[in-house]
Amino acid sequence: MSRPRTMRLDARAMKILAHPLRSRLLGALRLGGPASASTLAQALGTNSGATSYHLRRLAETGLVVDEPGGRGRERLWRAASEGHSWSPSDAAGDPDGEAANDWLEADSLRVLEERAGSWQDAKHRWPPRWRDAAGGGDWFVDLPPDRLRALLDDLAAVIDGYRDAPPAPDARRVLLFVHAFPQGDPP
């Protein structure tokens, strides 16, 4: 079943997603595909009652949806989109929304650091061509806000072009992370 690439979060969805277990549940469904509350609880080290409750909260925002094919009373859930986005201004003026934005940004960086650390620990087990291909860089570019937004949109379009191509037999899931922010003092 096809799902949208990205879902735009409003302040309400940000507040609901800004919870450690809910964020982990959504991530698990995106990476592992449809699953029941019991399966997710076991994988994430929690109980199925809490998992089921938090899945229903995520469903209130449309971040997760029912997936056909559950057995008996075992309900299957799937992520409604491949990713999500938001802007801090989506919650501007709402103290809880602004706190949710801060939590979501910090959690995204924490997850990235965790995954990058896992790669660092495991990379010696990967073939040299994978180790040579993986990597990153950083650049400094002088841009006004509208050109920065355009640059990020252009990068997203390039990445989508690679996502749309059929995977090669030796393809593996690769995490690409782009984070752009101004340096120095605010104007």
Side-chain angles (χ1 to χ4, degrees), residues 32-48:
S36 68
S38 300
T39 301
L40 290 164
Q42 185 175 10
L44 300 177
T46 186
N47 68 66
S48 59

Side-chain angles (χ1 to χ4, degrees), residues 64-118:
V64 301
V65 295
D66 282 312
E67 173 73 8
R71 281 191 240 133
R73 292 177 34 164
E74 220 25 38
R75 185 177 186 180
L76 287 181
W77 298 90
R78 71 173 171 84
S81 64
E82 293 179 16
H84 56 268
S85 67
W86 73 91
S87 292
S89 61
D90 295 336
D94 174 353
D96 291 337
E98 290 174 352
N101 172 72
D102 292 346
W103 188 91
L104 289 167
E105 287 178 348
D107 190 57
S108 293
L109 291 171
R110 182 196 58 77
V111 168
L112 173 65
E113 184 178 22
E114 210 173 81
R115 290 182 179 169
S118 293

Side-chain angles (χ1 to χ4, degrees), residues 5 154-164 176 178:
R5 283 263 162 90
D154 289 348
L155 290 172
V158 169
I159 292 165
D160 281 346
Y162 280 86
R163 292 173 77 188
D164 291 338
L176 296 171
V178 176

